[in-house]
Amino acid sequence: PGSCLALCVCSEPAKTVKCVNGNLSAVPPDLPPYVRTLFITGTPLARLPPGAFSSQRLPDLGALNLSGNHLRTVEGDAFAALPALRQLDLSGNPLASLSPRAFGEAGSPLEELALRGSLRNHSILHNLTATLQSGVLRNLSRLELADNGLLLLPAGMFSALPALRQLDLSNNSLVGLRNVSFQGLGQLQSLNLSGNSLSVLRNGTLAQFRSLPALRRIGLARNTWVCDCGIEDLVAWLKESDQVEGKEALTCAYPDKMLGKALLKISGSDLDCSVPVDLPSQLQTSYVFLGIVLALIGAIFLLVLYLNRKGIKKWMHNIRDACRDHMEGYHYRYEINADPRLTNLSSNSDV
């Protein structure tokens, strides 16, 4: 008890220290060396500098919970001196800066990383991507990115996570997965995409799902599925796949005539896809038709000019003569106004 701060609760039998809802602005410097699980939550802690934790004093720290603080900045080597760290929870922090070197450069033993609600500042997403792609977290098996309002994910974000088994992307605002690659995630078992804004999953994404041998649980609930011709591949995959949890409850959100209809009950007649819709071809046809119409109008205009060439020529001569007479009148009045003698003569013309 004498080695633990007054703001923390320490339990040597449980190997746990809890610093909850205190007034800590930095990591306590006198944490007991026996600690394996450390909670620092609900504090004004805003910054983790290099060497915030020391391996000499915390050689067995395996679980670190820093959720619900005011943490904005995680600097390089902040977690590098924790040789036994397996679980890290940074959820509920307004992160603005995360150094790609936060876990050092030699590789981290970290297996679970929770960032629920910590990526609201979307500029931090690039820092996180650089950290994941650096390969320093190759042992990561669980990654939680839920509740962050993410619209799109950077390409290749998960390319250096070969040990990843659980990926939680739920309750974001993802509108598509076209640039997201799941290749290389051979051990991925669970993928949660519930509560997003997905309207359809394309063939490329579905092919990736099929190619992952360990993937058995995919969550797709609470998405805005658009049930038009583009959803045929997704419906066919749902009917043949056993990877999707609760697929019977997936329903259409648009259009209105399909609202609430179960995706598994959709047939080709419901979608009216007998004639494939090829928008680029339609646009090309429209441009050709417009060109023909404009050429026809131009030809008619030139024909009218040709048939009325005599009248047009006479009209132009009349305009020229009128302009010439008008200009001669102006010239004559200018000569009169410019010569004082002529001006006087004009003024006394009645005399």
Side-chain angles (χ1 to χ4, degrees):
S3 65
C4 203
L5 284 177
L7 295 174
C8 302
V9 177
C10 304
S11 173
E12 186 170 359
K15 310 295 183 184
T16 300
V17 173
K18 295 182 179 180
C19 307
V20 180
N21 298 326
N23 198 28
L24 295 174
S25 58
V27 176
D30 58 349
L31 293 169
Y34 61 72
V35 61
R36 294 183 179 178
T37 303
L38 174 60
F39 293 85
I40 302 178
T41 64
T43 73
L45 180 67
R47 173 175 168 267
L48 286 179
F53 304 90
S54 170
S55 61
Q56 287 76 17
R57 289 182 287 112
L58 303 172
D60 299 321
L61 181 60
L64 177 59
N65 190 326
L66 296 173
S67 63
N69 295 297
H70 291 79
L71 195 59
R72 293 183 57 82
T73 303
V74 179
E75 299 183 11
D77 296 326
F79 305 111
L82 297 174
L85 187 63
R86 299 291 189 273
Q87 302 173 1
L88 176 61
D89 192 345
L90 294 172
S91 300
N93 284 289
L95 291 178
S97 175
L98 175 65
S99 172
R101 296 180 56 254
F103 299 92
E105 297 179 350
S108 170
L110 193 68
E111 297 177 356
E112 299 183 14
L113 176 59
L115 291 164
R116 179 181 290 269
S118 296
L119 307 177
R120 297 288 180 175
N121 183 344
H122 290 172
S123 62
I124 192 70
L125 188 61
H126 298 289
N127 297 149
L128 176 62
T129 301
T131 302
L132 297 177
Q133 291 179 334
S134 68
V136 72
L137 297 178
R138 293 184 63 84
N139 295 313
L140 201 65
S141 63
R142 181 175 177 271
L143 178 60
E144 184 176 351
L145 302 177
D147 298 324
N148 284 307
L150 302 177
L151 290 172
L152 295 170
L153 297 176
M157 184 176 184
F158 312 115
S159 59
L161 302 175
L164 194 64
R165 297 183 180 182
Q166 299 178 32
L167 178 57
D168 188 353
L169 294 167
S170 63
N171 299 324
N172 283 293
S173 301
L174 296 175
V175 296
L177 299 174
R178 181 168 293 184
N179 66 326
V180 180
S181 175
F182 298 100
Q183 298 295 334
L185 302 182
Q187 298 189 43
L188 188 65
Q189 299 175 359
S190 173
L191 174 61
N192 193 349
L193 294 167
S194 301
N196 282 284
S197 300
L198 298 173
S199 59
V200 69
L201 294 180
R202 304 292 180 183
N203 252 337
T205 301
L206 300 178
Q208 290 189 62
F209 290 164
R210 293 188 187 98
S211 68
L212 299 176
L215 186 57
R216 290 292 177 267
R217 297 189 304 276
I218 302 177
L220 295 175
R222 304 189 312 280
N223 279 284
T224 54
W225 303 113
V226 176
C227 296
D228 57 13
C229 294
I231 207 169
E232 279 189 311
D233 296 330
L234 174 59
V235 171
W237 173 72
L238 286 174
K239 291 179 178 179
E240 70 180 26
S241 174
D242 57 355
Q243 295 175 300
V244 181
E245 293 182 324
K247 62 182 180 180
E248 296 80 8
L250 301 181
T251 58
C252 302
Y254 301 99
D256 291 340
K257 67 176 184 178
M258 300 288 285
L259 180 62
K261 187 176 182 64
L263 266 61
L264 288 178
K265 296 183 178 179
I266 292 177
S267 62
S269 59
D270 295 325
L271 301 176
D272 190 22
C273 297
S274 54
V275 179
V277 177
D278 188 355
L279 185 57
S281 298
Q282 288 184 348
L283 290 176
Q284 185 177 5
T285 303
S286 300
Y287 291 147
V288 172
F289 180 74
L290 179 61
I292 294 174
V293 171
L294 292 177
L296 182 61
I297 292 175
I300 293 175
F301 179 72
L302 293 175
L303 179 62
V304 170
L305 290 178
Y306 176 77
L307 294 177
N308 291 275
R309 60 188 184 281
K310 293 182 178 180
I312 293 174
K313 185 176 181 180
K314 183 179 179 181
W315 175 70
M316 294 182 66
H317 283 305
N318 291 338
I319 291 178
R320 184 192 63 185
D321 294 341
C323 290
R324 182 176 59 191
D325 295 342
H326 198 59
M327 293 302 295
E328 287 178 353
Y330 272 118
H331 183 67
Y332 175 72
R333 294 182 64 85
Y334 174 76
E335 289 180 347
I336 292 177
N337 292 334
D339 191 334
R341 295 173 300 172
L342 295 178
T343 303
N344 295 334
L345 181 60
S346 176
S347 300
N348 300 321
S349 58
D350 292 340
V351 179

